[in-house]
């Protein structure tokens, strides 16, 4: 085209040429679509962007050309909708971002803008579309979003402040660390969570970053939380600059180091402890190389830390123990189990010492063993002390053994003559004596028994203090033990006119495991003391449970009396050996003052405690506690009938006695009425008949009954007429005569005080349901002279070995009126020879301490001869003055069948012979 032709073009043509030039040269892809969505124009920008030439693109559908397959259907529908909008509204435009696919198959992100092409009549004839590559921008946006997400989700607190020192960003980590939300923080001064005393330091750091934006500042310190607590943080501060290097913000990244600080503090504390320890402490690697070496190790072995670290353990381990130590260290590393032993070590200068070594594994955070730590303690002095203690212990044991042997010897030497003294007094008492002679014999017997009690107390105390007394742990019945303890002393109480009462609380279990012998010894001591020092009134023995139902069993035993009491200033010395309240008490009542000392020591052995309450002139209460275990699978020892609503009448003059019976019977459902006299009992009986509930059983105190014969007769008649059974409660001091008297009154059913719960239940069962055995007729608590002695009704050949001629004379006299034949020898050798020579003895009485051959050896020899000759086992009864349980055990181990302690009474000896022969296999 020449200049003339150009000058002749219209403005519209010139404008069109300009637009064509702009489209052709544009970096953006500019294309046109017909209304049937065919490409009608394709500029060079489109070719550069999508890789297709105009020849390849014109006439094609965009969906077949540059729209990714996954988006084609959706984009076709969207493009169709957009054309429809442009047809209706010429001003409508199309704006969106889409992924496009190049000719080579790669994808790019693009922004697409489109508008309708209309003719002069406004009819839509196509669409013009401009596409721009925004792949780099989208990638940057995605990276920015990812970084924002990382920052927001970080556990570190990340914040920024503007040049005006106000917070502009506050991430989730900052919210969690400090408790302030982003809404609460943005726009606030940057010091909101900084302690006031650190504000100046914070402003100084900001000033340094403003002055030198290229630096990074790191520091540690405490920051405040919203709730007022403090958190230790590590802070990194740096400046944020724009493209021109101008500071636009300051950012801080803060990490919670509270746990690290605590660990550092613990580590420092442990290091201080290790360094201050008197024990040598070192760390050793899995290759047996020294890693650390404390000052005590320097002192113990003579090598400094600088000399030791990095060396092998052969530096301080003796050569003869090196291999074993290496193997032990390897086992600790492999198994993770600690090890300990004693090592004979040497100082650098050659000084030997004994080292107690303990090594244990060191683990990393994953639990893997990375080495071992070792602790060495110089125990040379301790070992020397141990040797001295062993020597001292052996000397003490020898002294204790000597003391025990002395006690056993003294027991034998004292009890042997006591056997003759008491035995002869008993024999003399069986003869025809006048009143004065009988009185002399009683004095001899009473004082002999008093001397024996004193001997027993002294020996018991000596056994306890020498540690020779040990407790048993066997099953026993508590009811029977407590009642039998009281019954043993009842005759003394009743002879003084005292009431002796036994009470067990309903929640006290009775099938126990403990030491019944020692418990009985304590009770008899306390009950005997109470009876001794009480002239009138009563003695109450009670047992209560003081432990909760689910706790280990613990019981409290109480012995209360109405006796003379004890002054408060005398209480503190009462449990000392050989002590009484004052000398006048000892003169009036007698006694050695050993009983309570033994009680206190026995209760201490039983893991209990003794207490005392007393008031002069009013009486005393001794209490002691003790733990016990329960027997399992043991049935109830008392077989009670059903007492629900059974009408019963208790006629008892003693208030405590009535209360105990009321608790015992009323607690089992009986309907109980109380009366304190015959007349009150008669009135209660009549009232019960009028009420239509006649009395079924009357428990009648014999002292009340015998005080008013006429009223008693009325009571017997009226009780019998209404079907009531009368059970009389009598004392045991005149038992045989009282039983005869009661039978004359047709009161054949009786119980002996203190009431035995087993007997009471048996009598009541018999009266209510008709079983339970016969009602007692000849009571087992009759005086010994009222019961015949047990004697085998055939001749027995008995071999008796004893080196004391007095004892042999006594035993011969005891057996004089029996059909037994006694052969006597004076030592164990003669006993063996005599037994073998005769070969047919029915029984052997064997003293234990004899010359030449003692009773243990003689018994073993007899048992050996019986086994060798297939002879039946002959009963052998050991006679010994030893008070130790060990003596009883040794007699059993030697082959004895029974054990009788000296001094021997006639009844005891005859009973032992009777029992031994009765159970013998032949």
């Amino acid at each position: 085209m020449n200049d003339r032709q150009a000058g002749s073009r219209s403005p519209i043509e010139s404008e069109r040429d300009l637009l064509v030039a702009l489209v052709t040269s544009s970096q953006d892809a500019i294309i046109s679509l017909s209304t049937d969505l065919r490409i009608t124009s394709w500029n060079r920008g489109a070719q550069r962007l999508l890789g297709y030439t105009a020849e390849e693109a014109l006439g094609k559908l965009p969906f077949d050309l540059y729209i990714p397959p996954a988006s084609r259907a959706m984009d076709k529908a969207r493009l169709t909708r957009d054309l429809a909008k442009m047809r209706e509204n010429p001003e409508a435009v199309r704006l969106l971002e889409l992924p496009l696919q190049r000719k080579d198959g790669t994808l790019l992100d693009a922004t697409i803008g489109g508008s309708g092409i209309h003719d002069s009549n406004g009819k839509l004839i196509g669409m013009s579309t401009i596409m721009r590559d925004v792949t780099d921008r989208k990638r940057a946006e995605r990276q920015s979003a990812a970084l924002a997400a990382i920052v927001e989700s970080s556990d570190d607190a990340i914040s920024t402040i503007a040049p005006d020192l106000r917070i502009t960003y506050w991430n989730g980590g900052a919210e969690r660390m400090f408790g302030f939300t982003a809404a609460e923080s943005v726009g606030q001064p940057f010091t909101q969570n900084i302690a006031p005393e650190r504000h100046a330091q914070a402003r100084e750091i900001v000033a340094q970053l403003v002055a030198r934006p290229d630096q990074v500042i790191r520091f540690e310190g405490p920051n405040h939380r919203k709730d007022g607590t403090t958190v230790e943080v590590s802070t990194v501060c740096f400046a944020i600059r724009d493209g021109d290097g101008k500071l636009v913000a300051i950012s801080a990244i803060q990490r919670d180091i509270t746990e690290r600080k605590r660990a550092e503090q613990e580590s420092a504390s442990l290091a201080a402890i290790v360094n201050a320890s008197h024990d040598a402490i070192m760390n050793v690697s899995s290759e047996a190389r020294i890693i650390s070496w404390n000052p005590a190790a320097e002192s113990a072995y003579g090598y400094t830390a600088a000399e030791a670290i990095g060396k092998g353990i052969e530096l301080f381990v003796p050569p003869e123990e090196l291999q074993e130590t290496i193997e032990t260290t390897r086992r600790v590393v492999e198994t993770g189990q600690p090890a300990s032993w004693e090592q004979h070590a040497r100082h650098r200068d050659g000084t030997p010492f004994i080292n107690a070594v303990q090594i244990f594994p060191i683990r990393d955070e994953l639990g893997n063993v990375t080495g071992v730590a070792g602790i060495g303690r110089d125990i040379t002095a301790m070992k020397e002390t141990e040797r001295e203690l062993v020597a001292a212990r052996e000397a003490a044991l020898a002294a204790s053994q000597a003391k025990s042997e002395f006690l056993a010897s003294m027991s034998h030497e004292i009890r042997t003559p006591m056997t003759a003294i008491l035995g002869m007094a008993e024999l003399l008492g069986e003869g025809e004596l006048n009143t004065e002679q009988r009185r002399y014999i009683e004095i001899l017997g009473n004082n002999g028994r008093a001397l024996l009690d004193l001997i027993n107390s002294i020996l018991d105390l000596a056994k306890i203090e020498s540690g020779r007394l040990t407790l048993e742990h066997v099953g026993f019945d508590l009811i029977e033990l407590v009642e039998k303890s009281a019954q043993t002393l009842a005759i003394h109480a009743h002879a003084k006119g005292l009431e002796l009462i036994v009470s067990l609380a309903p929640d006290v279990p009775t099938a126990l495991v403990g030491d019944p012998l020692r418990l009985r010894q304590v009770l008899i001591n306390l009950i005997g003391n109470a009876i001794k020092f009480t002239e009138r009134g009563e003695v109450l023995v009670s047992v209560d449970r003081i432990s909760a139902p689910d706790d280990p069993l613990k019981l409290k035993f109480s012995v209360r009396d109405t006796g003379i009491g004890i002054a408060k200033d005398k209480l503190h010395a009462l449990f000392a050996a050989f002590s009484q309240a004052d000398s006048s008490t000892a003169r009036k009542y007698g006694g050695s003052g050993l009983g309570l000392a033994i009680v206190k020591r026995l209760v201490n052995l039983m893991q209990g405690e003794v207490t005392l309450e007393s008031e002069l002139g009013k009486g005393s209460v001794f209490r002691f506690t003790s733990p016990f275990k329960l027997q399992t699978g043991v049935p109830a020892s008392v077989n009670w009938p059903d007492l629900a609503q059974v009408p019963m009448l208790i006629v008892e003059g003693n208030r405590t006695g009535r209360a105990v019976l009321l608790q015992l019977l009323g607690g089992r459902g009986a309907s109980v009425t109380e009366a304190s006299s015959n007349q009150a009992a008669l009135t209660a009986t009549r009232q019960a008949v009028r009420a239509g509930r006649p009395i079924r059983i009357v428990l009648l105190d014999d002292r009340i009954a015998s005080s008013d014969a006429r009223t008693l007769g009325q009571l017997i008649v009226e009780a019998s007429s209404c079907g009531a059974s009368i059970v009389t409660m009598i004392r045991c001091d005149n038992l045989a005569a009282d039983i005869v008297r009661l039978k004359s009154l047709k009161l054949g059913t009786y119980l002996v005080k203190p009431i035995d719960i087993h007997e009471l239940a048996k009598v009541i069962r018999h009266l209510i349901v008709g079983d339970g055995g016969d009602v007692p007729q000849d009571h087992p608590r009759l005086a010994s002279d009222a019961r015949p002695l047990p004697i085998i009704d055939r001749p027995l050949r008995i071999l008796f070995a004893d080196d004391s001629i007095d004892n042999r004379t006594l035993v011969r006299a005891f057996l004089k009126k029996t059909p037994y034949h006694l052969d006597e020898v004076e030592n164990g050798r003669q006993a063996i020879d005599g037994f073998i020579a005769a070969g047919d003895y029915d029984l052997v009485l064997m003293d234990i301490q004899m010359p030449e051959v003692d009773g243990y050896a003689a018994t073993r020899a007899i048992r050996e001869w019986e086994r060798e000759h297939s002879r039946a086992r002959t009963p052998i009864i050991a006679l010994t003055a030893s008070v130790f349980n060990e003596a009883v055990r040794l007699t059993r181990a030697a082959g004895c069948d029974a054990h009788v302690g000296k001094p021997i009474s006639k009844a005891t000896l005859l009973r032992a012979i009777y029992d031994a022969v009765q159970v013998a296999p032949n």
Side-chain angles (χ1 to χ4, degrees), residues 794-799 840-844 874-875 917 920 922:
R794 64 181 174 88
L796 296 179
R797 288 198 65 194
I798 299 176
L799 176 63
D840 59 350
Y841 283 108
D842 297 295
L843 180 82
V844 177
T874 303
V917 174
N922 57 343

Side-chain angles (χ1 to χ4, degrees), residues 61-252:
L61 293 171
F63 325 112
D64 298 333
L65 202 64
Y66 55 83
I67 301 297
S71 306
R72 287 172 183 173
M74 182 175 62
D75 192 64
K76 181 177 181 180
R78 184 166 45 215
L79 189 56
T80 302
R81 286 196 304 272
D82 291 343
L83 279 173
K85 291 177 182 177
M86 294 174 184
R87 186 175 286 112
E88 295 174 2
N89 180 13
E91 302 297 325
V93 294
R94 186 184 195 223
L95 293 173
L96 70 159
E97 290 185 356
L98 283 177
L100 302 180
Q101 183 172 303
R102 295 188 179 93
K103 181 179 179 179
D104 60 10
T106 58
L107 297 177
L108 70 150
D109 291 308
T111 59
I112 300 174
S115 60
I117 302 173
H118 298 79
D119 61 13
S120 58
N121 297 319
K123 179 182 177 182
L124 181 70
I125 59 174
M127 176 189 296
S128 175
T129 300
I130 300 175
M131 295 182 288
R132 177 171 294 172
D133 185 355
V134 294
T135 301
D136 292 340
R137 193 199 78 197
K138 294 294 283 186
R139 184 182 299 112
E141 287 177 355
R142 283 192 292 271
Q143 290 175 345
S144 178
L147 290 173
I150 292 170
V151 168
E152 188 60 29
S153 62
S154 173
D155 285 331
D156 291 340
I158 302 175
S159 58
T160 59
I161 60 173
D164 62 358
L165 304 186
R166 292 193 176 274
I167 298 170
T168 56
Y169 177 72
W170 189 261
N171 79 331
E175 290 185 341
R176 290 187 293 274
M177 188 177 296
F178 300 115
F180 296 99
T181 65
E184 293 171 321
S185 301
V186 172
Q188 297 299 316
F190 79 105
T191 55
Q192 75 162 354
N193 65 317
I194 299 175
E197 61 272 17
R198 297 184 62 240
H199 285 183
Q201 178 190 6
R203 290 193 177 92
E204 174 62 25
I205 290 170
V206 170
Q208 291 178 24
L209 288 171
V210 170
R212 287 183 53 199
D214 57 333
Q215 66 178 321
V216 176
I217 298 177
R218 293 177 173 83
F219 59 93
E220 294 179 356
N223 275 28
H224 286 323
R225 293 189 177 98
K226 183 179 180 180
D227 61 8
T229 59
T230 300
V231 55
E232 287 284 340
V233 296
S234 168
T235 303
V236 177
C237 288
F238 54 91
I240 299 174
R241 294 176 287 180
D242 61 15
D244 298 329
K246 180 182 178 183
L247 186 143
V248 294
I250 293 174
S251 183

